[in-house]
Amino acid sequence: VTSATKEHLLQIGEVADRVGLSLRTVRYYEEVGVLTPPTRTSGGFRLYGDDHIAQLLTIKQMKPLDFSIEEMRELLEARAALETSTSARRRAAARETLERFAALAADRCTDLRKRLRSAETFAREISKEAQAPD
Amino acid sequence: VTSATKEHLLQIGEVADRVGLSLRTVRYYEEVGVLTPPTRTSGGFRLYGDDHIAQLLTIKQMKPLDFSIEEMRELLEARAALETSTSARRRAAARETLERFAALAADRCTDLRKRLRSAETFAREISKEAQAPD
DNA sequence: TTGCTCCTCACGTCACGTGAGGTGGC
DNA sequence: TTGCTCCTCACGTCACGTGAGGTGGC
């Protein structure tokens, strides 16, 4: 899928370290189809390239927004389509998907802000309660 | 455990409605011991009082902070001890627990702020990408 | 050959969701 | 008696964690 230019390939341990995920998590993302399968050594060791790292970083960015695996897959697919597809129709569709996700992300931000306010209130309440004389 | 003054008791459906949780979730909280078991009708229907509602509201407040069930149980226990126990030692211990949770809650707030910033960045990036001409 | 890294099952976990099949109570 | 609400299993789900037992590659 990628260019044949020799890029330095990484084993799963290096990759996991670099993006801050567990080995299991990296394998899981491949298993559910959100991370494109890496090449393998003849012995079966996974070898990842720069595009895999990029995918994983995107996934990691989406996690704090509570996006599901299915949603991550959709976004990564749209992004890949924008990078590689030459069909105008496909590119337009991909753009639309990205727009949809931008809106969704904005909604999640609103949710997070609400959560934060509620959390701050809770923290204050508990602190007061601990210090109340009674 | 509570006073014998006649309080208007509620069935689980009313309770779930009022606090915004599912029936299953309310039963689950009882099952894992974070919600004190309600009284029952002779036919087995659960009847909840005001203290149950208060507990559930506290639980609901803790959820956006990603507290585990175990942590919720601990905080509710400390809070109950502060309300009912007359032992000075127990009250002091309960206060300490609450202090600990106040600090924990503050940490979670910091995490949420970080998440929010990361989320905002992501939303901006996606929006830009969708509009980029290329 | 010794380590260290990797491999694939496969079962466990947390916080519930979702029926199935059956009863209570106004 | 009819509905509507409730009951208890019990299996499913999502995103992984956690061994078990076995091999690759410098």
Side-chain angles (χ1 to χ4, degrees):
Chain A
V1 175
T2 335
S3 71
T5 36
K6 233 177 197 148
E7 41 180 353
H8 64 306
L9 298 176
L10 300 171
Q11 289 188 182
I12 194 169
E14 265 272 343
V15 169
D17 254 38
R18 228 172 256 210
V19 300
L21 295 170
S22 73
L23 303 194
R24 174 63 168 118
T25 300
V26 174
R27 292 194 196 105
Y28 174 73
Y29 288 154
E30 177 188 345
E31 189 185 325
V32 296
V34 67
L35 177 65
T36 58
T39 57
R40 303 266 191 151
T41 67
S42 53
F45 280 37
R46 274 170 262 249
L47 292 177
Y48 298 91
D50 293 341
D51 44 347
H52 293 108
I53 302 280
Q55 283 176 40
L56 285 170
L57 289 176
T58 298
I59 290 169
K60 241 209 138 189
Q61 244 190 325
M62 294 181 79
K63 278 218 302 193
L65 281 158
D66 289 324
F67 280 112
S68 71
I69 298 286
E70 184 51 40
E71 290 172 319
M72 295 177 185
R73 173 164 34 213
E74 213 184 328
L75 181 129
L76 284 173
E77 200 185 295
R79 194 176 253 185
L82 255 196
E83 289 209 352
T84 68
S85 174
T86 53
S87 148
R89 269 171 66 79
R90 286 178 71 84
R91 293 178 66 80
R95 267 179 212 289
E96 242 177 86
T97 300
L98 287 189
E99 289 278 16
R100 195 155 48 76
F101 272 99
L104 235 171
D107 287 355
R108 302 293 169 96
C109 283
T110 305
D111 292 350
L112 275 180
R113 272 187 275 270
K114 227 177 260 177
R115 265 174 88 165
L116 178 55
R117 273 196 300 275
S118 154
E120 287 169 338
T121 301
F122 178 75
R124 266 196 302 277
E125 279 178 16
I126 291 297
S127 176
K128 244 187 215 168
E129 209 177 326
Q131 272 144 23
D134 191 342
Chain B
V1 175
T2 336
S3 70
T5 36
K6 234 176 195 148
E7 41 179 354
H8 64 306
L9 298 174
L10 300 172
Q11 291 189 179
I12 194 168
E14 264 273 343
V15 169
D17 253 38
R18 228 172 256 208
V19 299
L21 295 170
S22 72
L23 303 192
R24 174 63 169 119
T25 300
V26 174
R27 292 195 197 104
Y28 174 72
Y29 288 154
E30 178 188 344
E31 189 185 326
V32 296
V34 67
L35 177 63
T36 58
T39 56
R40 301 267 192 151
T41 67
S42 54
F45 280 38
R46 275 170 260 250
L47 292 177
Y48 298 91
D50 293 342
D51 44 346
H52 293 107
I53 302 280
Q55 284 176 39
L56 285 171
L57 289 177
T58 298
I59 291 168
K60 241 210 138 187
Q61 245 191 323
M62 294 180 78
K63 277 216 304 193
L65 281 158
D66 289 325
F67 280 112
S68 70
I69 297 286
E70 183 53 39
E71 290 172 317
M72 296 178 185
R73 173 163 37 211
E74 214 184 327
L75 181 130
L76 285 172
E77 200 186 294
R79 195 176 251 184
L82 254 196
E83 288 209 352
T84 68
S85 174
T86 54
S87 150
R89 270 170 66 79
R90 286 176 72 84
R91 294 179 65 80
R95 268 179 211 288
E96 241 177 87
T97 301
L98 288 189
E99 290 278 16
R100 195 155 48 76
F101 273 99
L104 235 170
D107 288 355
R108 302 292 168 96
C109 283
T110 306
D111 291 350
L112 276 179
R113 272 187 275 270
K114 225 176 262 175
R115 265 174 88 166
L116 178 56
R117 272 197 301 274
S118 154
E120 288 169 338
T121 302
F122 178 74
R124 265 196 303 277
E125 280 178 16
I126 292 297
S127 175
K128 243 186 216 166
E129 210 176 326
Q131 272 144 22
D134 191 344

